Amino acid sequence: MNINFAINQGSKILKDKFIPNPQLDAEILMAKTINKDRKYILLNSNLPLNKDNLNNFYKLIEKRSLGNPIAYLINKKFFWNSEFFITNNILIPRPDTELILENLLRLTRHKKKISILEIGVGSGCILLSLLKERQYIYGTGIDISKKCLNICKINAYNLKVGSRLKL
């Protein structure tokens, strides 16, 4: 079975379960399965899949058909200008949260040195995006969950802002 056929089958399963954007979701899950990006999937759709990859793909399709969010299945979510690592231990960053970041960037535009505290830091999407955009800002993030703090630490490392962050 090739990539395209598997994606079409997965898309049909998702469509039958009334999952929005079944084709896109199937492509994203295939990309996760074979550890490539969507562009690769689209350009190499006739390549064959081995049985392990096919089984893993259908397991992800099954989880998605049960309503599990894509972000939890692929362990990442794009927010602002960055990709964040996430797990099901934290809330998925929402697109409307970017409005908060827009306002923070506007408010800090002319500041020379400022410290920010985020309570309930979660994945760190707000605080870390702010640190990435403003080199003169230092941040402290607190959270009741040790798992959230560990995920935020991973994201800070990936975004190269850990030197200006306390958790």
Side-chain angles (χ1 to χ4, degrees):
M1 178 178 302
N2 68 25
I3 290 172
N4 189 51
F5 188 79
I7 288 173
N8 288 337
Q9 291 293 313
S11 177
K12 184 178 178 343
I13 292 167
L14 296 177
K15 185 177 181 181
D16 291 345
K17 296 289 186 169
F18 304 104
I19 300 296
N21 307 308
Q23 181 72 24
L24 175 62
D25 286 4
E27 290 171 4
I28 291 170
L29 294 176
M30 179 58 74
K32 167 73 173 174
T33 300
I34 64 172
N35 202 25
K36 301 286 184 184
D37 61 12
R38 273 188 64 228
K39 190 184 323 178
Y40 178 91
I41 300 292
L42 298 173
L43 294 173
N44 297 284
S45 62
N46 290 324
L47 289 179
L49 285 172
N50 65 43
K51 286 188 179 198
D52 287 340
N53 283 341
L54 190 60
N55 288 336
N56 289 335
F57 173 69
Y58 282 121
K59 285 177 186 174
L60 289 173
I61 289 291
E62 177 65 23
K63 289 178 181 178
R64 181 67 185 118
S65 72
L66 295 172
N68 290 308
I70 283 284
Y72 287 150
L73 298 176
I74 66 171
N75 294 113
K76 63 183 170 183
K77 178 70 175 169
F78 287 93
F79 180 86
W80 196 248
N81 295 323
S82 303
E83 180 180 291
F84 286 82
F85 171 71
I86 65 160
T87 68
N88 59 359
N89 295 311
I90 61 167
L91 297 174
I92 298 169
R94 297 170 47 108
D96 50 332
T97 305
E98 291 183 355
L99 296 172
I100 295 170
L101 185 59
E102 279 181 22
N103 284 320
L104 285 170
L105 290 170
R106 186 179 46 77
L107 291 169
T108 59
R109 182 175 34 225
H110 300 296
K111 304 289 184 191
K112 293 296 178 207
K113 189 173 181 184
I114 190 169
S115 294
I116 301 285
L117 170 65
E118 183 177 4
I119 300 170
V121 72
S123 66
C125 65
I126 297 171
L127 182 59
L128 299 180
S129 295
L130 186 61
L131 294 178
K132 189 173 177 192
E133 292 284 330
R134 300 281 191 257
Q135 301 303 315
Y136 50 82
I137 291 180
Y138 291 82
T140 301
I142 62 173
D143 205 296
I144 195 169
S145 167
K146 181 78 168 161
K147 290 177 182 177
C148 286
L149 293 172
N150 288 334
I151 290 167
C152 185
K153 191 180 298 184
I154 290 167
N155 286 324
Y157 175 81
N158 291 340
L159 296 176
K160 298 173 177 49
V161 296
S163 64
R164 294 182 287 126
L165 175 71
K166 281 187 194 174
L167 294 171

